[in-house]
Structure formats: C-alpha cells, structure tokens
Amino acid sequence: MAGIKTLGQFIIEKQADFPYAKGELSRLLRDIAIAAKIVNREVNKAGLVDILGEAGTVNIQGEDQKLLDVFANNQFIAALTCGGECCIVATEEEEDFVPIDSPVSKNAKYIVCIDPLDGSSNIDCNVAVGTIFSIYRRKSVDGMATIADVLQKGTEQVAAGYVIYGSSTMLVYTTGKGVNGFTLDPSIGEFCLSHPNMRVPSEGYIYSINEGNYVHFPEGVKKYLKYAQVEDATTNRPYTSRYIGSMIADIHRNLIKGGIYLYPTTSSSPNGKLRLIYECNPMAFIMEQAGGVASDGFNRILDIQPETLHQRTPVFIGSEKMVKMAEKLMREYSPQKPLLNKESTVAIKLNGTDQIPHKIITG
Ligand code: AHM
Ligand code: MG
C-alpha cells in the first residue's frame, strides 16, 4: 500500500522547485493550513453550538456578517500575524488592508489576500463553504508596505488556493507549477495528498450560474444559456445545470468534472458580484494552472489591473472550450460598454484585440 503524503511533506519537497527559496512561502502556506483546520473545526460543529446566525455587524460590502465570517477572518489574521512571513493581510471582511506591524513582519516579503469564508450565506443550511487565498510578493523595498503592494495584477500571484469545507475538507493550491489537492484526514489532523496534478477537462458538460437573474443578464450570456440547452452530442449538449451558490463548491466540482461557472454583470450589479482580488484572481490562477480559462467575458481575469481593494468583476471560468464559446457570444451580442460605476475599470478594445485599462469617472 502506498504511504500517505501530508501537505507539510509535499510543501517541503516542492521547495526544491524554487532554488533560492528560503522557506518563507512554505511557512506561509503552513500558517494558512493551520488556520484552515481551526476554521474547519468550527464550521463542522456549526449546528451544535450557538455560533450560527448574524454577528449583528455589516462588512464593507454592506452584507450582514455571520459569526463564522468574523471568526474565520480573525483566525487567518492571527495565524498570519504569528507566522511573521507576511506584512499585509487584505481581507474581504475589512474595509482597509491590515498591516502587520510587528518587528519581524513589517519587513516580511509577502502579501496575503483572503476571503476567509466565502459562501457564508449558506452556512445556516449546511452547504459547503470555503476560504480563498492568494499570495503576492511585496513590491516596495523598505518601510511599511502600501496599498500599491496589494493592488497587483493576478499574473503576479506567487501562490493561490482554496479550502472547501464540504462533505470532506480539502485544500487545493498552486504555486504556478500545476494544482494539487489535499483532503483533511480528521483522524490524524493532516491534509493528505489526494488529488495530485489536477486538470480540468477542456470540454465539460456542466454550467453553473444563478439563472434566476436571467432577465438581467447581458444578451451574450442569454445566448450562451440557450446554446448550453441545445442538443448536440459532439459537445456534450445539452449541458447539465448545477448551481450551489457557493463559488468554491461550484468551481471545485467543475474543476474535477469539467464545466463553466459564470457570474456575469446584471442590471443590479453592473460590475458583477464577485471580487477581483479575493475571489476571482486566486480561482483564475488555479483554473489556468489546471488547464482552464478565466475571463471577464472579454479579457483574461489575471490581466486586470486592480484599482481598488474591493473591486468587483464579472467572471466566466472553467473548461477552455466552454469559456471560449461564452466569450465569443459575449463579443457577438454584448459588445463591451463602459460601466456606470464611479470606480469601474474597463478595457477599451482597440483593433478587435488590444486592450488598455481605462478608468471611467462619472458623476
Ligand atoms: P460572499 O463572498 O458574500 O459569500 O458571496 C460570494 C458568493 C459566492 O460564493 C457565490 O457563488 C455567489 O456569492 C452566489 O451569489 P448569488 O446568491 O447571487 O447567486
Ligand atoms: Mg466571498
């Protein structure tokens, strides 16, 4: 019988891929994994203790925070503060980034961006939720790190991953050399390598979208949904519709089985709902590393220059052929228009393909 490989062993083994690595990134990943185990423990007993329900506070997005949101946020910040490898934590739950101002951390070379508990509106009904993280190298050379260290394009990510607290708990991550998945064995308290070298099929058969918003979708998305429902054996159509409403769970399933996850713009969310830095960039990095594609409908997610910490973006992510088809229909039926938000960054199309980032200021 083959022996198990723990996440810790795997990380140390992979450190050799980075000849000048001093172990900081490995320690950072270890810190995140420890915090994830603590959050997992709490999520698992959510129905047993008085931890369900509203915290009575509202986060920067104007959403009610759940107690577990707050708990997870605090756990990750605490673990990253103690670890000393990261100088800033930017989290979906905090308005501003959190500088780690300890003598060790302030010169640390990594920035961590995190959505501590994504899909938390599902907690009360026992649906899978997750943590999403990404790691960047600090750009500034001395003093306290700044906002510019956080507002980096997704292409600059050094590592990204997610933890899914589901029927089993898994940690999936990439450092830009493929994607590996680890399942938590509760009997030994270790994440064990269970899904080495994860690859997404290039043609899937699942589409995931909140179809209740159909009337508000751009025409290109409506056309894609009609395309998904037409019979054509050569392309696995009609596709199967699966939508959990918990991004990590939906993308994790599609990554394994092949599929597309869409959260487009809607008339009520003209920039989309999901956040570029905390949700879309890390999932895009993972999906690309698994052989898939992540787009905002027109451009590669990882190429978008973030302008603000909590910037949102539409997202089309998953199997290559499915995302390419959705992009084609978007170009055909929903040519890109300037967004109406004060802070929106849009790409202007030049000669059909070239794009430059452009900030639209209105009002
Ligand atoms: P959250 O970060 O507030 O939890 O919101 C993100 C979640 C995603 O996990 C999920 O895919 C999406 O919101 C669901 O949105 P909707 O309910 O509009 O379909
Ligand atoms: Mg989220």
Side-chain angles (χ1 to χ4, degrees):
M1 194 181 97
I4 58 163
K5 184 168 289 178
T6 67
L7 176 65
Q9 289 165 336
F10 186 86
I11 289 173
I12 290 167
E13 209 175 283
K14 290 294 161 191
Q15 206 173 298
D17 287 348
F18 303 91
Y20 303 106
K22 295 196 192 112
E24 289 120 311
L25 180 60
S26 303
R27 288 196 288 275
L28 202 45
L29 290 167
R30 180 208 55 195
D31 296 341
I32 291 172
I34 291 171
K37 283 188 213 173
I38 297 171
V39 171
N40 176 64
R41 189 188 65 202
E42 296 307 309
V43 167
N44 268 227
K45 62 184 188 196
L48 296 173
V49 291
D50 192 19
I51 200 162
L52 281 176
E54 311 295 327
T57 49
V58 169
N59 71 6
I60 175 64
Q61 326 284 345
E63 300 152 335
D64 288 331
Q65 289 180 296
K66 303 282 176 184
L67 284 175
L68 277 172
D69 275 335
V70 179
F71 178 84
N73 192 45
N74 294 342
Q75 276 307 320
F76 282 103
I77 294 177
L80 293 164
T81 304
C82 289
E85 311 300 347
C86 131
C87 56
I88 284 183
V89 184
T91 137
E92 192 185 291
E93 298 297 327
E94 310 263 350
E95 175 167 5
D96 218 338
F97 63 82
V98 182
I100 315 279
D101 189 12
S102 76
V104 208
S105 301
K106 83 173 176 217
N107 295 317
K109 66 179 184 206
Y110 290 109
I111 311 283
V112 176
C113 301
I114 194 155
D115 181 353
L117 208 58
D118 183 67
S120 55
S121 62
N122 291 306
I123 290 170
D124 293 357
C125 41
N126 214 348
V127 168
V129 292
T131 297
I132 316 175
F133 62 90
S134 62
I135 301 175
Y136 294 84
R137 203 167 277 115
R138 171 188 176 163
K139 295 278 182 199
S140 54
V141 281
D142 48 29
M144 290 297 287
T146 68
I147 181 84
D149 291 305
V150 185
L151 298 180
Q152 298 189 43
K153 287 185 186 176
T155 45
E156 302 298 305
Q157 288 171 100
V158 175
Y162 61 83
V163 185
I164 176 167
Y165 311 102
S167 43
S168 62
T169 294
M170 275 190 76
L171 186 150
V172 174
Y173 84 101
T174 182
T175 52
K177 292 182 186 294
V179 179
N180 291 283
F182 300 80
T183 303
L184 183 65
D185 180 341
S187 67
I188 57 169
E190 294 279 2
F191 284 105
C192 301
L193 181 62
S194 52
H195 295 62
N197 193 23
M198 295 172 82
R199 304 293 298 167
V200 61
S202 67
E203 178 75 272
Y205 63 96
I206 298 171
Y207 71 98
S208 311
I209 187 167
N210 186 344
E211 233 163 328
N213 291 330
Y214 184 87
V215 67
H216 302 299
F217 289 151
E219 198 51 33
V221 171
K222 291 181 179 169
K223 285 281 188 290
Y224 184 73
L225 295 179
K226 288 295 161 219
Y227 167 87
Q229 291 159 4
V230 165
E231 187 149 38
D232 174 31
T234 58
T235 49
N236 303 325
R237 286 180 293 148
Y239 296 147
T240 291
S241 167
R242 291 281 182 274
Y243 189 72
I244 296 169
S246 188
M247 183 200 200
I248 301 182
D250 279 309
I251 295 184
H252 179 69
R253 180 203 52 239
N254 292 359
L255 174 61
I256 290 173
K257 297 190 167 188
I260 182 171
Y261 172 92
L262 309 93
Y263 211 110
T265 59
T266 63
S267 29
S268 55
S269 308
N271 301 327
K273 175 183 181 187
L274 300 176
R275 293 79 172 175
L276 175 62
I277 291 182
Y278 310 109
E279 292 161 329
C280 298
N281 270 338
M283 297 314 267
F285 188 24
I286 293 165
M287 191 55 80
E288 285 197 6
Q289 283 295 314
V293 173
S295 161
D296 69 355
F298 303 92
N299 310 295
R300 185 183 179 212
I301 290 285
L302 297 182
D303 283 337
I304 301 174
Q305 174 62 56
E307 303 268 329
T308 58
L309 277 178
H310 296 278
Q311 184 171 325
R312 297 173 193 257
T313 176
V315 62
F316 299 63
I317 181 169
S319 294
E320 182 185 353
K321 289 185 183 159
M322 300 175 92
V323 177
K324 294 282 179 206
M325 175 55 79
E327 281 184 319
K328 178 173 173 290
L329 295 173
M330 285 297 285
R331 280 195 301 271
E332 233 169 288
Y333 294 97
S334 303
Q336 206 162 13
K337 294 187 193 104
L339 305 176
L340 294 176
N341 240 17
K342 280 195 171 170
E343 298 175 336
S344 33
T345 302
V346 299
I348 303 296
K349 291 195 96 53
L350 296 173
N351 307 326
T353 49
D354 299 334
Q355 295 105 32
I356 51 165
H358 181 75
K359 195 168 185 186
I360 303 289
I361 311 286
T362 56

